[in-house]
Amino acid sequence: MRVTISDVARAAGVSKGAVSYALNGQAGVSEDTRRRILSTAAALGWTPSLRARSLSSSKAYALGLVVARDPRLLGSDPFFPSFIAGIETTLADRGYSLVLTVATKTGSEESSYRRLAHEGRVDGVILSDMRTNDSRIALLLELGLAAVTLNRPETPSPFPAVCMDDTEGISEAVQHLIDLGHTRIAHVGGSQHYIHGLSRRNAWANTLELNGLATDLFVEADFGAVQGVAATADLLGRANPPTAIVYANDIMATAGQAYAQQQGLRIPHDLSVTGYDNTEYAQYLTPALSSIGSDPLRWGSAAAQVLLNQLEGTHDGEDVVLPAPRLITRGSSAAPHGRNTTGSQ
C-alpha cells in the first residue's frame, strides 16, 4: 500500500496540513516539527504523488516525444530504444515521465502535438528527426509548448538544441576507405527529408570531391533493412559497381552486408562496408562491422536534461554540443582486391 500524507501525520503526531507544509517547503511549521515530519516520511518510505503534484501545480510532470516513423522500422532500429532509455534515466531522477506517441498516418503528427498541448498531458516536447523546412517549430510556438531539438533545424528556432555532428564520422569513414585504395565508394543514405539524412550524404559527397572522386553512387532508403537490401542490390547490379559502401545506419549496413555475402561476395575482400551508430551487435557480425559510434543513450539523457532545465528556468537558452561520433574500424573494411577498382578521377 502507498504511504499517504495521513500515514505520515499519524506517525509524526501532527496534522495533515502540517505535513503538507513541511513536505512542500512552505512556512507554517517550526524547524523542529519540519525535521520530525521529514524524518518520519523518510522512515515510512513516503514518496510524492505525481497526480497530486500535477493538480496542485497545473503541471503534467511529463515530457512528450512524437515519432513519425513506420512502427516496423522503430521495432528493428536499436537507436530509438537506447535514445528513449537515455530520456527515461534523466526523467526518473527528476520525478517526470515520458509520453511517447507514434504517428503513422497523414496529419496524425500535428494532431498528436495539438492533443498533448490541449489536454495538458506534457510540459514540453523533444523534437527528433529534424526536417528541411520543419513546420513543427511554428506549430509548437502556436501551441505554447517548450521544446528541445536534436540538432539545430534549418528553420529559425527559439528552442535550445542538443547537437551531435554526424558529418565528421561520415567524412572519416569515406577518407578511411579512400586511404585503403577504394575509388568507387557508394552511399546508402536515409530519407533526404531529414536533415541528418541530407547532412550525411553531403559529408560523403564532399569528401569524395575533395579527393577527386565521383559522387554518382548514391541511393536513398528509409533506414530500414528491406530498403537497405534493395539499395545494395541496385548498386551491385550497376555496370561499374562500388568496391565500398558507406551506409547511414547499422541496420541497412547489416542487411546490405548479408545480401552481398548471399551473392557470393566476400566482405571485405570484394566489398568493404561501414555503418553508423555502432550498435551492440555490430561487433558480433562476421566480419565485425566498421561503424561510426554515436551515443543515443547520452543524447537522450542530455535532451531531457536541457528541456527540464528550460522548464525550471535554469537554462540559459544556449545549445549543448556533444562530442562528434568517430569511426570504429573493424573487419568489414579493408583494401580492395580482385574487382574493378577504377573510378572517375
Side-chain angles (χ1 to χ4, degrees):
M1 295 291 291
R2 182 183 181 88
V3 177
T4 66
I5 286 181
S6 297
D7 297 325
V8 176
R10 188 162 46 251
V14 297
S15 68
K16 287 172 59 178
V19 173
S20 179
Y21 289 142
L23 294 178
N24 289 294
Q26 298 175 342
V29 294
S30 68
E31 285 306 311
D32 287 343
T33 301
R34 187 187 307 277
R35 282 193 294 269
R36 185 169 83 254
I37 292 171
L38 294 177
S39 177
T40 301
L44 292 176
W46 176 87
T47 56
S49 165
L50 184 58
R51 182 178 181 184
R53 289 171 64 197
S54 299
L55 290 172
S56 64
S57 65
S58 298
K59 291 182 64 176
Y61 289 94
L63 304 184
L65 176 65
V66 179
V67 182
R69 288 204 191 186
D70 187 326
R72 291 171 296 180
L73 298 180
L74 289 178
S76 63
D77 189 344
F79 174 89
F80 274 101
S82 294
F83 178 73
I84 290 170
I87 296 173
E88 291 281 17
T89 299
T90 295
L91 297 189
D93 292 339
R94 303 279 284 271
Y96 279 70
S97 59
L98 176 67
V99 177
L100 174 64
T101 302
V102 179
T104 58
K105 298 179 181 179
T106 303
S108 62
E109 185 179 25
E110 178 176 333
S111 63
S112 294
Y113 285 112
R114 291 190 180 279
R115 184 172 62 254
L116 291 175
H118 294 159
E119 295 177 0
R121 297 179 61 192
V122 299
D123 301 310
V125 294
I126 297 171
L127 287 189
S128 64
D129 286 337
M130 303 309 299
R131 300 92 185 257
T132 55
N133 301 316
D134 204 314
S135 62
R136 294 175 298 172
I137 303 300
L139 174 62
L140 295 181
L141 288 173
E142 174 196 333
L143 296 174
L145 274 177
V148 61
T149 64
L150 301 188
N151 282 325
R152 180 135 297 276
E154 294 179 344
T155 306
S157 169
F159 304 121
V162 178
C163 304
M164 186 182 290
D165 183 5
D166 57 358
T167 61
E168 286 190 29
I170 293 291
S171 297
E172 187 178 4
V174 175
Q175 191 63 53
H176 162 69
L177 293 167
I178 293 172
D179 293 343
L180 289 171
H182 293 275
T183 59
R184 295 287 290 167
I185 302 171
H187 180 48
V188 176
S191 169
Q192 300 300 282
H193 178 57
Y194 296 133
I195 289 178
H196 56 77
L198 185 60
S199 66
R200 293 176 195 183
R201 178 185 181 179
N202 289 339
W204 162 79
N206 290 341
T207 307
L208 289 177
E209 289 174 350
L210 286 173
N211 286 272
L213 299 176
T215 60
D216 57 313
L217 295 170
F218 170 77
V219 180
E220 180 177 346
D222 65 354
F223 292 107
V226 173
Q227 289 198 19
V229 167
T232 305
D234 176 350
L235 291 166
L236 295 180
R238 298 187 184 186
N240 190 11
T243 60
I245 304 178
V246 173
Y247 292 85
N249 72 349
D250 283 355
I251 289 288
M252 295 194 297
T254 300
Q257 177 171 310
Y259 172 81
Q261 290 171 321
Q262 291 166 5
Q263 304 309 303
L265 297 181
R266 295 163 295 174
I267 308 293
H269 190 85
D270 299 317
L271 179 70
S272 285
V273 171
T274 68
Y276 194 106
D277 285 331
N278 191 37
T279 47
E280 184 177 3
Y281 63 76
Q283 61 187 308
Y284 301 116
L285 299 177
T286 304
L289 180 66
S290 295
S291 186
I292 297 160
S294 68
D295 191 348
L297 190 76
R298 182 177 183 181
W299 209 358
S301 177
Q305 184 70 59
V306 168
L307 184 51
L308 290 177
N309 289 347
Q310 182 186 174
L311 291 170
E312 294 169 3
T314 60
H315 194 280
D316 57 11
E318 294 184 359
D319 294 349
V320 172
V321 180
L322 300 178
R326 305 304 300 269
L327 175 68
I328 300 168
T329 56
R330 298 192 179 99
S332 69
S333 56
H337 298 284
R339 297 181 64 220
N340 181 13
T341 59
T342 61
S344 300
Q345 299 288 332

Coordinates of all heavy atoms in Angstrom, one line a residue, residues 240-302:
N240 N 29.5 -0.5 -63.4 CA 30.7 -0.3 -62.7 C 30.4 -0.1 -61.2 O 30.3 1.0 -60.6 CB 31.4 1.0 -63.2 CG 32.8 1.2 -62.7 OD1 33.4 0.3 -62.1 ND2 33.4 2.3 -62.9
P241 N 30.2 -1.2 -60.5 CA 29.7 -1.2 -59.1 C 30.8 -0.7 -58.1 O 32.0 -0.7 -58.4 CB 29.4 -2.7 -58.8 CG 30.3 -3.4 -59.7 CD 30.4 -2.6 -61.0
P242 N 30.3 -0.3 -56.9 CA 31.3 0.1 -55.9 C 32.1 -1.0 -55.3 O 31.7 -2.2 -55.4 CB 30.4 0.8 -54.9 CG 29.1 0.0 -55.0 CD 28.9 -0.3 -56.5
T243 N 33.2 -0.7 -54.8 CA 34.0 -1.6 -54.0 C 33.9 -1.4 -52.5 O 34.4 -2.1 -51.7 CB 35.5 -1.6 -54.4 OG1 36.0 -0.2 -54.1 CG2 35.7 -1.9 -55.8
A244 N 33.1 -0.3 -52.2 CA 32.9 0.0 -50.8 C 31.6 0.8 -50.7 O 31.2 1.5 -51.6 CB 34.0 0.9 -50.2
I245 N 30.8 0.5 -49.6 CA 29.5 1.2 -49.4 C 29.5 1.8 -48.0 O 29.7 1.0 -47.0 CB 28.3 0.3 -49.6 CG1 28.3 -0.4 -51.0 CG2 27.0 1.1 -49.4 CD1 27.2 -1.3 -51.2
V246 N 29.2 3.0 -47.9 CA 29.0 3.7 -46.6 C 27.5 3.8 -46.3 O 26.8 4.5 -47.1 CB 29.7 5.1 -46.6 CG1 29.3 5.9 -45.3 CG2 31.2 5.0 -46.8
Y247 N 27.0 3.2 -45.3 CA 25.6 3.2 -45.0 C 25.3 4.2 -43.9 O 26.1 4.5 -43.0 CB 25.1 1.8 -44.5 CG 25.2 0.7 -45.6 CD1 26.3 0.0 -45.9 CD2 24.0 0.4 -46.3 CE1 26.4 -1.0 -46.8 CE2 24.0 -0.6 -47.3 CZ 25.2 -1.3 -47.5 OH 25.2 -2.3 -48.5
A248 N 24.1 4.7 -43.9 CA 23.7 5.8 -43.0 C 23.3 5.2 -41.6 O 23.1 6.0 -40.7 CB 22.5 6.6 -43.5
N249 N 23.1 3.9 -41.5 CA 22.9 3.3 -40.2 C 23.3 1.9 -40.2 O 23.6 1.3 -41.3 CB 21.5 3.5 -39.6 CG 20.5 2.7 -40.3 OD1 20.7 2.1 -41.4 ND2 19.3 2.6 -39.8
D250 N 23.4 1.2 -39.0 CA 23.9 -0.1 -38.9 C 22.8 -1.1 -39.5 O 23.2 -2.2 -39.9 CB 24.2 -0.5 -37.5 CG 25.5 0.1 -37.0 OD1 26.2 0.7 -37.9 OD2 25.9 -0.1 -35.8
I251 N 21.6 -0.8 -39.4 CA 20.5 -1.7 -39.9 C 20.7 -2.0 -41.4 O 20.7 -3.1 -41.8 CB 19.1 -1.2 -39.6 CG1 18.8 -1.2 -38.1 CG2 18.1 -1.9 -40.4 CD1 18.6 -2.6 -37.6
M252 N 20.8 -0.9 -42.1 CA 21.0 -1.0 -43.6 C 22.3 -1.6 -43.9 O 22.4 -2.4 -44.8 CB 20.8 0.4 -44.2 CG 19.5 1.0 -44.1 SD 19.1 2.4 -45.2 CE 20.3 3.6 -44.6
A253 N 23.4 -1.3 -43.1 CA 24.7 -1.9 -43.4 C 24.7 -3.4 -43.1 O 25.3 -4.2 -43.9 CB 25.7 -1.2 -42.5
T254 N 24.1 -3.8 -42.1 CA 24.0 -5.2 -41.8 C 23.2 -6.0 -42.9 O 23.6 -7.1 -43.3 CB 23.3 -5.5 -40.4 OG1 24.0 -4.8 -39.4 CG2 23.2 -6.9 -40.1
A255 N 22.1 -5.4 -43.3 CA 21.3 -6.1 -44.3 C 22.0 -6.1 -45.6 O 22.0 -7.1 -46.4 CB 19.9 -5.3 -44.5
G256 N 22.7 -5.0 -45.9 CA 23.5 -4.9 -47.2 C 24.6 -5.9 -47.2 O 24.9 -6.5 -48.2
Q257 N 25.3 -6.0 -46.1 CA 26.4 -6.9 -46.0 C 26.0 -8.4 -46.2 O 26.6 -9.1 -46.9 CB 27.1 -6.7 -44.6 CG 28.3 -7.7 -44.4 CD 29.0 -7.4 -43.1 OE1 29.5 -6.2 -42.9 NE2 29.3 -8.4 -42.2
A258 N 24.8 -8.7 -45.5 CA 24.3 -10.1 -45.6 C 23.9 -10.3 -47.1 O 24.2 -11.4 -47.6 CB 23.1 -10.2 -44.7
Y259 N 23.3 -9.4 -47.7 CA 22.9 -9.5 -49.1 C 24.1 -9.8 -50.0 O 24.1 -10.7 -50.9 CB 22.1 -8.3 -49.7 CG 21.8 -8.4 -51.1 CD1 20.8 -9.2 -51.6 CD2 22.6 -7.7 -52.0 CE1 20.5 -9.2 -53.0 CE2 22.4 -7.8 -53.4 CZ 21.4 -8.6 -53.9 OH 21.2 -8.7 -55.3
A260 N 25.1 -9.0 -49.9 CA 26.3 -9.1 -50.7 C 27.0 -10.5 -50.5 O 27.4 -11.1 -51.5 CB 27.3 -8.0 -50.3
Q261 N 27.0 -11.0 -49.2 CA 27.5 -12.3 -49.0 C 26.7 -13.4 -49.6 O 27.2 -14.4 -50.1 CB 27.6 -12.5 -47.5 CG 28.7 -11.7 -46.8 CD 28.7 -11.7 -45.3 OE1 27.6 -11.7 -44.7 NE2 29.9 -11.7 -44.7
Q262 N 25.4 -13.2 -49.6 CA 24.5 -14.2 -50.3 C 24.7 -14.2 -51.8 O 24.5 -15.3 -52.5 CB 23.0 -13.8 -50.0 CG 22.6 -14.0 -48.6 CD 21.3 -13.4 -48.2 OE1 20.6 -12.8 -49.1 NE2 20.9 -13.4 -46.9
Q263 N 25.2 -13.1 -52.4 CA 25.5 -13.1 -53.8 C 26.9 -13.6 -54.1 O 27.3 -13.5 -55.3 CB 25.4 -11.6 -54.3 CG 24.0 -11.0 -54.1 CD 22.9 -11.8 -54.5 OE1 22.8 -12.2 -55.7 NE2 22.0 -12.1 -53.6
G264 N 27.6 -14.1 -53.1 CA 28.9 -14.7 -53.3 C 30.1 -13.7 -53.1 O 31.2 -14.1 -53.3
L265 N 29.8 -12.5 -52.7 CA 30.9 -11.5 -52.5 C 31.5 -11.8 -51.1 O 30.8 -12.1 -50.1 CB 30.4 -10.1 -52.6 CG 29.8 -9.7 -54.0 CD1 29.4 -8.2 -53.9 CD2 30.9 -9.9 -55.0
R266 N 32.8 -11.6 -51.0 CA 33.5 -11.7 -49.7 C 33.7 -10.3 -49.1 O 34.1 -9.4 -49.8 CB 34.8 -12.4 -49.9 CG 34.7 -13.8 -50.4 CD 36.1 -14.3 -51.0 NE 36.4 -13.5 -52.2 CZ 37.6 -13.7 -52.8 NH1 38.5 -14.5 -52.4 NH2 37.9 -13.0 -53.9
I267 N 33.3 -10.2 -47.8 CA 33.5 -9.0 -47.1 C 34.7 -9.1 -46.2 O 34.7 -10.1 -45.4 CB 32.2 -8.7 -46.2 CG1 30.9 -8.8 -47.0 CG2 32.4 -7.3 -45.5 CD1 30.7 -7.7 -48.1
P268 N 35.7 -8.3 -46.3 CA 35.8 -7.1 -47.1 C 36.6 -7.3 -48.4 O 37.0 -6.3 -49.1 CB 36.6 -6.1 -46.2 CG 37.5 -7.1 -45.5 CD 36.8 -8.4 -45.3
H269 N 37.0 -8.6 -48.7 CA 37.8 -8.8 -49.9 C 37.3 -8.2 -51.2 O 38.0 -7.6 -52.0 CB 38.0 -10.3 -50.1 CG 39.1 -10.7 -51.0 ND1 40.4 -10.8 -50.7 CD2 39.0 -11.0 -52.4 CE1 41.1 -11.1 -51.8 NE2 40.3 -11.3 -52.8
D270 N 36.0 -8.4 -51.4 CA 35.3 -7.9 -52.6 C 34.5 -6.6 -52.4 O 34.3 -5.9 -53.3 CB 34.3 -9.0 -53.2 CG 35.0 -10.3 -53.5 OD1 36.1 -10.2 -54.1 OD2 34.5 -11.4 -53.2
L271 N 34.1 -6.4 -51.2 CA 33.3 -5.3 -50.9 C 33.5 -4.8 -49.4 O 33.3 -5.7 -48.5 CB 31.8 -5.5 -51.1 CG 30.8 -4.4 -50.8 CD1 31.0 -3.3 -51.8 CD2 29.4 -4.9 -50.7
S272 N 33.9 -3.6 -49.2 CA 34.0 -3.1 -47.8 C 32.7 -2.4 -47.5 O 32.0 -1.8 -48.3 CB 35.2 -2.1 -47.7 OG 36.4 -2.7 -47.7
V273 N 32.4 -2.4 -46.2 CA 31.1 -1.9 -45.7 C 31.4 -1.1 -44.4 O 32.1 -1.6 -43.5 CB 30.1 -3.1 -45.4 CG1 28.9 -2.6 -44.7 CG2 29.8 -3.8 -46.7
T274 N 30.7 0.0 -44.2 CA 30.7 0.7 -42.9 C 29.3 1.1 -42.6 O 28.5 1.4 -43.5 CB 31.6 2.0 -43.0 OG1 31.0 3.0 -43.8 CG2 33.0 1.7 -43.4
G275 N 29.0 1.2 -41.3 CA 27.7 1.5 -40.8 C 27.7 2.8 -40.0 O 28.7 3.6 -40.0
Y276 N 26.6 3.1 -39.3 CA 26.5 4.3 -38.4 C 25.7 3.9 -37.2 O 24.6 3.4 -37.4 CB 25.9 5.4 -39.2 CG 26.1 6.8 -38.5 CD1 27.0 7.7 -39.0 CD2 25.4 7.1 -37.4 CE1 27.2 8.9 -38.4 CE2 25.5 8.3 -36.8 CZ 26.4 9.2 -37.3 OH 26.6 10.4 -36.6
D277 N 26.1 4.3 -36.0 CA 25.5 4.1 -34.7 C 26.3 3.2 -33.8 O 26.1 3.2 -32.6 CB 24.0 3.6 -34.8 CG 23.1 4.7 -35.2 OD1 23.4 5.9 -34.9 OD2 22.1 4.4 -35.8
N278 N 27.1 2.3 -34.4 CA 27.9 1.3 -33.6 C 27.0 0.6 -32.6 O 27.2 0.6 -31.4 CB 29.0 2.0 -32.9 CG 30.0 1.0 -32.3 OD1 30.3 -0.1 -32.9 ND2 30.5 1.3 -31.1
T279 N 25.9 0.0 -33.1 CA 25.0 -0.7 -32.3 C 25.8 -1.9 -31.7 O 26.8 -2.4 -32.2 CB 23.8 -1.2 -33.1 OG1 24.3 -1.8 -34.3 CG2 22.9 -0.1 -33.4
E280 N 25.2 -2.5 -30.6 CA 25.9 -3.5 -29.9 C 26.3 -4.7 -30.7 O 27.3 -5.3 -30.6 CB 25.1 -3.9 -28.6 CG 25.8 -4.9 -27.8 CD 25.0 -5.3 -26.5 OE1 23.9 -4.8 -26.4 OE2 25.5 -6.1 -25.7
Y281 N 25.4 -5.1 -31.6 CA 25.6 -6.3 -32.4 C 26.6 -6.1 -33.5 O 27.1 -7.1 -34.1 CB 24.3 -6.8 -33.0 CG 23.6 -5.8 -34.0 CD1 24.1 -5.6 -35.3 CD2 22.5 -5.1 -33.6 CE1 23.6 -4.8 -36.2 CE2 21.9 -4.2 -34.5 CZ 22.5 -4.0 -35.8 OH 21.9 -3.1 -36.7
A282 N 27.0 -4.9 -33.8 CA 28.0 -4.6 -34.9 C 29.3 -5.4 -34.7 O 29.8 -5.9 -35.7 CB 28.2 -3.1 -35.0
Q283 N 29.7 -5.5 -33.5 CA 31.0 -6.2 -33.3 C 30.9 -7.7 -33.4 O 31.9 -8.4 -33.4 CB 31.5 -5.9 -31.9 CG 30.6 -6.3 -30.7 CD 31.0 -5.7 -29.4 OE1 32.2 -5.9 -29.0 NE2 30.1 -5.0 -28.7
Y284 N 29.6 -8.3 -33.4 CA 29.5 -9.7 -33.4 C 29.1 -10.3 -34.8 O 28.9 -11.5 -35.0 CB 28.3 -10.1 -32.5 CG 28.6 -9.7 -31.0 CD1 27.8 -8.8 -30.4 CD2 29.7 -10.2 -30.4 CE1 28.1 -8.4 -29.1 CE2 30.0 -9.8 -29.1 CZ 29.2 -8.9 -28.4 OH 29.5 -8.5 -27.1
L285 N 29.1 -9.4 -35.8 CA 28.8 -9.8 -37.2 C 30.1 -10.5 -37.7 O 31.1 -10.4 -37.2 CB 28.4 -8.6 -38.1 CG 27.2 -7.9 -37.7 CD1 27.0 -6.7 -38.6 CD2 25.9 -8.8 -37.7
T286 N 29.9 -11.2 -38.8 CA 31.1 -11.9 -39.5 C 31.2 -11.4 -40.9 O 30.4 -11.7 -41.8 CB 30.9 -13.4 -39.5 OG1 30.7 -13.9 -38.2 CG2 32.1 -14.1 -40.1
P287 N 32.2 -10.5 -41.2 CA 33.1 -9.9 -40.2 C 32.4 -8.8 -39.4 O 31.4 -8.4 -39.8 CB 34.2 -9.4 -41.1 CG 33.5 -9.0 -42.4 CD 32.5 -10.1 -42.6
A288 N 33.1 -8.4 -38.3 CA 32.6 -7.4 -37.5 C 32.5 -6.1 -38.3 O 33.3 -5.8 -39.2 CB 33.5 -7.2 -36.3
L289 N 31.5 -5.3 -38.0 CA 31.1 -4.1 -38.8 C 31.9 -2.9 -38.4 O 31.8 -2.5 -37.2 CB 29.6 -3.8 -38.7 CG 29.1 -2.6 -39.5 CD1 29.2 -2.9 -41.0 CD2 27.6 -2.4 -39.2
S290 N 32.6 -2.3 -39.3 CA 33.2 -0.9 -39.1 C 32.0 0.0 -39.0 O 31.1 0.1 -39.9 CB 34.1 -0.5 -40.2 OG 35.3 -1.3 -40.2
S291 N 32.0 0.9 -37.9 CA 30.8 1.7 -37.7 C 31.1 3.0 -37.0 O 32.2 3.1 -36.3 CB 29.7 1.0 -36.9 OG 28.5 1.7 -36.8
I292 N 30.3 4.0 -37.2 CA 30.5 5.3 -36.5 C 29.8 5.3 -35.2 O 28.6 5.1 -35.1 CB 30.0 6.4 -37.4 CG1 30.9 6.4 -38.7 CG2 30.1 7.8 -36.7 CD1 30.2 7.1 -39.9
G293 N 30.5 5.6 -34.1 CA 30.0 5.3 -32.8 C 29.2 6.4 -32.1 O 29.7 7.1 -31.2
S294 N 28.0 6.6 -32.6 CA 27.1 7.6 -31.9 C 26.7 7.1 -30.5 O 26.8 5.9 -30.3 CB 25.9 7.9 -32.7 OG 25.0 6.8 -32.8
D295 N 26.1 7.9 -29.7 CA 25.8 7.5 -28.3 C 24.3 8.0 -28.1 O 24.1 9.0 -27.4 CB 26.7 8.2 -27.3 CG 26.6 7.6 -25.9 OD1 25.6 6.9 -25.7 OD2 27.4 7.9 -25.1
P296 N 23.3 7.2 -28.6 CA 21.9 7.6 -28.4 C 21.5 7.7 -26.9 O 20.6 8.5 -26.6 CB 21.1 6.6 -29.1 CG 22.0 5.4 -29.3 CD 23.4 6.0 -29.3
L297 N 22.1 6.9 -26.1 CA 21.7 6.9 -24.6 C 22.1 8.3 -24.1 O 21.3 8.9 -23.4 CB 22.4 5.8 -23.9 CG 22.0 5.6 -22.4 CD1 20.7 4.9 -22.4 CD2 23.0 4.7 -21.7
R298 N 23.3 8.7 -24.4 CA 23.8 10.0 -23.9 C 23.0 11.2 -24.5 O 22.7 12.2 -23.8 CB 25.2 10.2 -24.2 CG 25.9 11.5 -23.7 CD 27.3 11.6 -24.0 NE 27.9 12.8 -23.4 CZ 29.2 13.1 -23.5 NH1 30.0 12.2 -24.2 NH2 29.7 14.2 -23.0
W299 N 22.6 11.0 -25.8 CA 21.9 12.1 -26.5 C 20.5 12.2 -25.8 O 20.0 13.4 -25.6 CB 21.7 11.7 -27.9 CG 21.6 12.9 -28.9 CD1 21.6 14.2 -28.5 CD2 21.6 12.9 -30.3 NE1 21.5 15.0 -29.6 CE2 21.5 14.2 -30.7 CE3 21.5 11.8 -31.2 CZ2 21.4 14.6 -32.1 CZ3 21.5 12.2 -32.6 CH2 21.4 13.5 -33.0
G300 N 19.8 11.1 -25.6 CA 18.5 11.2 -24.9 C 18.6 11.8 -23.6 O 17.7 12.6 -23.2
S301 N 19.6 11.4 -22.8 CA 19.7 11.9 -21.4 C 19.9 13.5 -21.5 O 19.3 14.2 -20.7 CB 20.9 11.2 -20.7 OG 21.1 11.8 -19.4
A302 N 20.8 13.9 -22.4 CA 21.1 15.3 -22.5 C 19.9 16.1 -22.9 O 19.7 17.2 -22.4 CB 22.3 15.5 -23.4

